[in-house]
Amino acid sequence: MSTAAPPEVQQVAAEEQGGLGGFLRARFEALRSGDVGSLPVIIGIVAITVFFTVKANIFFTAVNFDNLIPQMAGVTTIAIGVVFVLLIGEIDLSIGFLSGVAGVVVAELQMPGSGHDLPGLIAIALAILAGMVIGGIQGSFVAFLGVPSFVVTLAGLLAWQGVIIKALGTQGVIGIQDKQINDVANYVLAKNVGWILAIVFVVGFAGAAVGGQIKRRRAGLRAGNPILMLIRVVFWCGLAFAVVAVCNHSRGVPFAGLLIVFLTVLGTYVATRTTFGRHVYAVGGNAEAARRAGINVKLIRILVFMISGAMAALGGIIFASRLNSVDLTAGGGTILLDAISAAVIGGTSLFGGRGFVKAALFGGLIIGMISNGVDLVGYSDSTKYITTAVILLSAVTLDTVLRRRQAAAGR
Amino acid sequence: MSDTPTLELRGISKHFGSVQALSEVDFFVHDGEVMALVGDNGAGKSTVIKCVAGIYTIDGGEVFFEGKPVTIHGPKDAGRLGIEVVYQDLALCDNLDVVQNMYLGREAHDVVYRLREPEMELKTQETLASLSVTTVRSIRQPVATLSGGQRQSVAVARAVMWNSRVVILDEPTAALGVAQTRQVLDLVKRLAEQGLAVVIVSHNLHDIFEVANRITVLRLGRDVGVYDRAKTTQQEIVSAITAGVPTKVAGVAEEVEA
């Protein structure tokens, strides 16, 4: 081994030893070698905010932020599933119309006077189950038969669109009167409840951070830098309180907002703290290595497609709930591309193995802000499409270039 | 060295369709010994390894572990016996860090499958230290950022971490520079010093003569013989590889073909 360590080694070492200065130096080194972290997302959010605030003064208001949350909730939820699929290096193109199918299922099951007017929560559970089963079937083609996921889910895209048209054929629309279903996207939490949830989040987040450090120290391992940990906790907790404060300035925290935060936290936990999550990253990083290490690669693939199906279904329920109905356009339009864009813009690699669940939340926010801003300014849909396309292409290009750069710096 | 080999293959055969990849191959390795497996391309080295690792099932012959007959039907069986293989491509996940790779597929977890990170990190530190692998600065850095020799070290350390008895290294130095080859060969010697049975497959006779105690030569799917490193020369091994006469003739013993 040559005596000069590669820059990454020094970088990691610096991150471990140094205080704040060491951390910043390490981040700068990482940036130079192509690990940009969440920088593009932050720049994107700031740029979009500034642009639309200038163009439409209602954009940067509490009321609009309160509206934005339910608008972005559906795409964000679907994008969480997309992150898992991208992590194993596959793609799921069926999620758009799969979400539409779930919307139709939930609307159909709650329909009064149809003989199966089930309570809302049961209808929701069955629709999610349906999404999970469909995802599992599509995943089985990929896992057992080795059919490229692009083709399997492209077939799914067509098939589920057909199913939606067939199911709604005669009337073309089903209204949703069930309160539980409509509450998913439209319920607003009481202001006190919002504050209590913010406190619960802060206590939980800080507790987990401190608990993890105590566990490391007890095991005799070097604990992380306490100042950095404090900064991280203060940042996230500050963000949580800021969101609640802004929402409470308007009507209050939308339930949909709570839902996507909960799903993001749950997804992050599964991806980073469980053996399943570890195996997902392993399959995306090197499927053959994972197989030889005894990981059931087929099972992981199927489970990931089931997660994707379930999240798409839940996203479809949020869409249906927001409109209080499903019609022939359910699951169509830009839902598919918005969800994939959200995951990729947030920083999930299309090449597998790299990314975080929180990418869905931040990417969903960016996509939601563009859509919301374009509507407010009064641009046409064409502008919305073109803008989203440019941002998606930029994100994927960035990912591709950075990946090459990291590989070059790696060895 | 004890008299009973840790791992012994007696007359194993393997065919793929009409191609006889191995016929009547004998092979053994003892504790604390480095046994080299050499041969030209297509001699059957990889097939032997894959049969031992449970990736292929043998068509004929017997496998003994510590003198007891065993059957190996899959990688799990091999793992249970304490047989670990470090493949040429190392089978590491570049996106995962050193600890995650060391525990790949065998993560320490509690009843609800939550990972026990401190335990894994501690054991990784210990294992790397016991093998004197000191060049890896942080075991929390992704494997993609390591050098070739470091990657090889991580792959070997992963193989020995699981109370393994037999470690098989497939071309461990093929892709390495001089200094890194040195590092890996030292590691191989340390494995044998710790009492493990080590099998090393290599094209590089120079490396083999440096670390191996004995050398098994394969040619065209048959074993030509076992040579003692101290009593042989590179010339003798080269001629055995290229023109060696098989010690047995296929088809003489019964049940060669399934």
Side-chain angles (χ1 to χ4, degrees):
Chain A
M1 158 85 225
S2 59
T3 44
E8 287 70 28
V9 179
Q10 289 163 348
Q11 158 213 324
V12 173
E15 197 161 350
E16 278 178 359
Q17 306 152 357
L20 203 54
F23 172 75
L24 290 176
R25 209 163 40 240
R27 287 314 307 163
F28 181 68
E29 279 298 326
L31 216 58
R32 283 206 327 174
S33 69
D35 174 13
V36 292
S38 28
L39 204 59
V41 173
I42 294 167
I43 293 172
I45 290 173
V46 171
I48 292 166
T49 308
V50 170
F51 179 80
F52 283 120
T53 307
V54 172
K55 286 282 178 188
N57 40 23
I58 193 184
F59 183 78
F60 198 66
T61 59
V63 176
N64 191 42
F65 184 71
D66 215 18
N67 288 335
L68 176 62
I69 291 175
Q71 283 168 14
M72 67 178 270
V75 165
T76 305
T77 305
I78 300 173
I80 291 173
V82 174
V83 169
F84 278 93
V85 175
L86 292 182
L87 278 179
I88 62 165
E90 303 286 351
I91 188 83
D92 190 343
L93 301 177
S94 71
I95 45 175
F97 287 111
L98 192 48
S99 78
V101 168
V104 172
V105 168
V106 89
E108 182 69 39
L109 290 179
Q110 61 81 48
M111 196 154 56
S114 63
H116 48 248
D117 48 345
L118 297 168
L121 284 177
I122 293 176
I124 290 171
L126 288 174
I128 293 175
L129 190 68
M132 208 186 276
V133 169
I134 292 172
I137 293 169
Q138 293 180 161
S140 301
F141 275 89
V142 178
F144 290 120
L145 302 173
V147 186
S149 56
F150 180 86
V151 177
V152 174
T153 57
L154 190 60
L157 179 152
L158 266 177
W160 307 125
Q161 185 178 16
V163 167
I164 292 167
I165 295 171
K166 194 150 185 97
L168 295 178
T170 45
Q171 72 265 49
V173 59
I174 304 176
I176 298 173
Q177 275 111 47
D178 186 278
K179 188 171 172 341
Q180 288 168 335
I181 296 171
N182 286 335
D183 274 351
V184 173
N186 301 313
Y187 185 77
V188 178
L189 299 169
K191 295 187 178 174
N192 304 342
V193 178
W195 288 120
I196 291 168
L197 285 170
I199 293 167
V200 168
F201 178 82
V202 167
V203 171
F205 192 88
V210 173
Q213 290 301 321
I214 291 175
K215 226 186 235 172
R216 283 182 66 84
R217 203 156 285 187
R218 207 174 282 158
L221 291 162
R222 194 168 8 172
N225 190 317
I227 301 168
L228 291 181
M229 192 182 84
L230 192 68
I231 293 174
R232 197 178 292 147
V233 170
V234 168
F235 173 78
W236 286 103
C237 295
L239 199 62
F241 271 102
V243 167
V244 173
V246 172
C247 288
N248 278 357
H249 199 69
S250 173
R251 291 177 305 156
V253 178
F255 171 76
L258 177 66
L259 185 64
I260 55 177
V261 170
F262 171 76
L263 290 171
T264 306
V265 172
L266 181 71
T268 303
Y269 179 83
V270 169
T272 59
R273 297 267 184 268
T274 67
T275 54
F276 169 75
R278 182 63 45 84
H279 293 173
V280 167
Y281 279 91
V283 169
N286 187 343
E288 175 61 16
R291 190 185 67 78
R292 286 199 226 143
I295 293 171
N296 191 338
V297 175
K298 288 176 181 154
L299 181 67
I300 298 288
R301 288 204 171 115
I302 292 173
L303 287 174
V304 164
F305 275 96
M306 287 172 80
I307 291 175
S308 174
M311 296 309 276
L314 186 50
I317 293 163
I318 294 172
F319 287 129
S321 164
R322 216 161 77 77
L323 297 172
N324 297 348
S325 67
V326 285
D327 57 30
L328 287 169
T329 63
T334 57
I335 292 174
L336 164 65
L337 275 178
D338 279 355
I340 293 177
S341 305
V344 174
I345 290 169
T348 306
S349 173
L350 279 169
F351 303 100
R354 289 191 305 130
F356 298 97
V357 174
K358 65 175 187 235
L361 188 58
F362 291 118
L365 180 62
I366 289 183
I367 296 284
M369 283 167 76
I370 294 171
S371 170
N372 172 290
V374 165
D375 287 346
L376 285 183
V377 179
Y379 295 139
S380 62
D381 271 356
S382 56
T383 314
K384 197 186 290 186
Y385 292 164
I386 294 168
T387 318
T388 308
V390 168
I391 290 184
L392 172 64
L393 187 60
S394 315
V396 176
T397 308
L398 191 69
D399 175 39
T400 312
V401 173
L402 292 180
R403 190 183 138 88
R404 202 160 49 219
R405 186 137 175 212
Q406 276 182 320
R411 258 158 267 168
Chain B
M1 280 176 218
S2 63
D3 287 344
T4 318
T6 316
L7 177 70
E8 183 175 12
L9 312 179
R10 275 189 216 153
I12 63 161
S13 300
K14 175 72 191 172
H15 63 87
F16 301 101
S18 61
V19 179
Q20 191 74 25
L22 295 177
S23 41
E24 300 280 301
V25 170
D26 292 344
F27 181 78
F28 65 90
V29 58
H30 290 90
D31 278 353
E33 172 185 67
V34 179
M35 171 64 97
L37 186 59
V38 299
D40 205 352
N41 291 341
K45 305 184 298 284
S46 299
T47 313
V48 170
I49 291 176
K50 284 177 177 165
C51 288
V52 174
I55 296 192
Y56 299 152
T57 48
I58 55 175
D59 299 329
E62 293 167 299
V63 181
F64 296 87
F65 193 81
E66 296 178 323
K68 289 187 277 291
V70 291
T71 50
I72 299 173
H73 286 303
K76 290 250 158 82
D77 290 345
R80 223 171 282 131
L81 290 170
I83 300 170
E84 292 288 335
V85 183
V86 180
Y87 292 96
Q88 194 172 352
D89 64 5
L90 304 184
L92 296 172
C93 289
D94 276 351
N95 58 330
L96 300 182
D97 67 29
V98 177
V99 179
Q100 293 170 342
N101 268 292
M102 293 277 277
Y103 275 87
L104 192 63
R106 296 189 264 207
E107 292 84 359
H109 60 77
D110 60 14
V111 278
V112 289
Y113 292 92
R114 281 186 306 184
L115 296 164
R116 287 207 286 243
E117 294 287 355
E119 181 187 326
M120 292 195 274
E121 197 167 326
L122 215 56
K123 185 80 189 295
T124 301
Q125 273 178 4
E126 282 170 17
T127 308
L128 290 178
S130 78
L131 295 170
S132 309
V133 177
T134 50
T135 55
V136 179
R137 296 278 182 90
S138 168
I139 54 175
R140 280 298 179 190
Q141 65 189 101
V143 165
T145 63
L146 300 180
S147 72
Q150 289 172 330
R151 293 159 62 84
Q152 185 79 45
S153 302
V154 170
V156 172
R158 171 168 71 184
V160 302
M161 191 163 63
W162 305 97
N163 299 320
S164 33
R165 300 290 314 280
V166 181
V167 176
I168 302 172
L169 304 160
D170 189 5
E171 297 282 5
T173 58
L176 301 182
V178 176
Q180 303 195 339
T181 300
R182 169 93 272 120
Q183 192 184 327
V184 169
L185 292 181
D186 287 345
L187 185 57
V188 171
K189 283 188 222 165
R190 274 196 293 276
L191 296 183
E193 281 161 16
Q194 291 188 357
L196 292 165
V198 182
V199 178
I200 177 167
V201 176
S202 181
H203 271 103
N204 190 327
L205 287 184
H206 181 76
D207 289 352
I208 281 173
F209 270 75
E210 181 166 341
V211 294
N213 302 101
R214 282 191 256 211
I215 301 160
T216 299
V217 179
L218 290 183
R219 181 164 180 263
L220 302 174
R222 292 165 197 165
D223 63 302
V224 175
V226 181
Y227 299 82
D228 213 322
R229 196 256 323 252
K231 294 177 198 151
T232 186
T233 60
Q234 291 203 20
Q235 282 74 15
E236 189 181 6
I237 299 295
V238 169
S239 65
I241 290 171
T242 52
V245 182
T247 49
K248 282 182 207 160
V249 179
V252 171
E254 70 266 310
E255 59 168 7
V256 173
E257 297 276 340

